[in-house]
Amino acid sequence: MAKEKPTILVVNDDGITAPGIKVLLEEMQKLGNVVVVAPDAPQSGMGHAITIGKPLRLDKIDLYEGVEMYKCSGTPVDCVKLAVDRIFKDKKPDLCVSGINHGLNYSINVLYSGTMSAAVEGAIEGIPSIGFSLDDFSHNADFTHTRPYVLSIAEQVLNNGLPKGTLLNVNFPHIEKGIVGIKICRQANGNWIEEFEYRVDPHHRDYFWMTGRYDWVDRGEDTDVFAINNGYASVVPTQFDMTAHHAIPELNSWSFDVK
Amino acid sequence: MAKEKPTILVVNDDGITAPGIKVLLEEMQKLGNVVVVAPDAPQSGMGHAITIGKPLRLDKIDLYEGVEMYKCSGTPVDCVKLAVDRIFKDKKPDLCVSGINHGLNYSINVLYSGTMSAAVEGAIEGIPSIGFSLDDFSHNADFTHTRPYVLSIAEQVLNNGLPKGTLLNVNFPHIEKGIVGIKICRQANGNWIEEFEYRVDPHHRDYFWMTGRYDWVDRGEDTDVFAINNGYASVVPTQFDMTAHHAIPELNSWSFDVK
């Protein structure tokens, strides 16, 4: 008896018309039955935000021939939640892939990224999940070199599953650098140094634009930043248990003086 | 020589007029010089979202006498970033406290919570940080019983610091239950089962409201959910390294067949 084709949920944070999600859904069509649920507008930097104070729209659209697609008014995480409850209903998809993001989501960016948060939400739902991102912010980013890697990594996850409570954060170098191989990594320590740009609007009121630079403090050769800088596709197994288990004994030694 | 009073950044996600932040800033005034930077409107469920596609407003306001306060048009994480760059400038605060949230942020809610994400952002900035939340969603929640615990926990963090790369996620039982003590815990495994409510608007278009129920799968007595259910204030050391370090060897055993 032939094995049933897997069902694959495709999401992103750049919005349903972004070129990156088209590349991702095309590769996933080689592996299974694809359902796309993506924001109707860009949602970069939305992190793990959910929409609780206002209602959500979910509308079926025909963007690419033969692909089941829905646009959603909410965040990337909303897309996954709506897909699981209202589209897949009783049967969860076999795989959830998010991206391919226009821009890197390595190091601390895993927290700010809507792309990664959608994949995290997939994993919370118990679905094997992967977030893909490319080192190219432009709308016309060239994803050609990522295609065989996206396919291979997704295939491995479908075949092997993922350790309980984990997902994958995959980043690719820019096409001009090419890809020399895959490196399993840890998330590099690093953070953004904010430099808000001050302006005055035509009504004489102050405002600020968020800008900043990434401070690469962690030069470890086992990090995702090192991998990308050296031409590798970085794969970081990522978890949503945020407990700092190693800190529990120290905290237990504190004495709280509650009056 | 007298020790200089510490500087304390107070943020939240319920908005600058929420009663919870007033309780928090009052307690912090007992420990140091307080600066409040909070959203100008409720931002619950915003997770680690940041505002990159539109400008931000930051305005000084006089809400409570003698307290330096700013309202911000952005997310809780934006508040911390703006505070560090534009208010504190070269000298980071000695402590960042977030809350007190109207509603629990235990278990998986650490990811969705704007309160906790603000504290996480503080920790990323290298500031000892704590998020506080109460098991009471109502605007008129009674925080009286939490006051001595908030003070004691903040005092301990000011005195001892926190292990590198960690912050604290503190949750309190409802006032009707009282607080029997403090329990250092891990984040309970659990997730929300979505149940989107379907409606039709006056223009005959579909929409959905996010609803759901928390699925408490992890009955471990070392979890934050167990602690709250048994009348303890739960304290979870939390980290922003999301690497699933234990999964790295398994992934290294995979063979990627890239064509």
Side-chain angles (χ1 to χ4, degrees), chain B residues 95-136:
Chain B
L95 182 68
C96 168
V97 291
S98 182
I100 303 171
N101 192 61
H102 296 234
L104 286 171
N105 283 316
Y106 60 17
S107 183
I108 196 67
N109 299 301
V110 64
L111 283 176
Y112 304 106
S113 159
T115 300
M116 279 311 298
S117 294
V120 169
E121 186 63 28
I124 292 171
E125 298 276 0
I127 308 161
S129 298
I130 318 167
F132 294 103
S133 306
L134 172 66
D135 183 9
D136 190 341

Side-chain angles (χ1 to χ4, degrees), chain A residues 26-41:
Chain A
E26 285 168 357
E27 293 306 313
M28 292 305 106
Q29 283 178 311
K30 299 175 185 169
L31 297 174
N33 299 315
V34 168
V35 177
V36 178
V37 184
D40 58 13

Side-chain angles (χ1 to χ4, degrees), chain A residues 168-189:
Chain A
L168 300 185
N169 180 13
V170 180
N171 284 272
F172 297 111
H174 192 282
I175 190 161
E176 283 177 10
K177 211 162 198 168
I179 302 172
V180 298
I182 290 173
K183 228 175 176 336
I184 312 300
C185 312
R186 65 174 173 85
Q187 172 188 325
N189 297 322

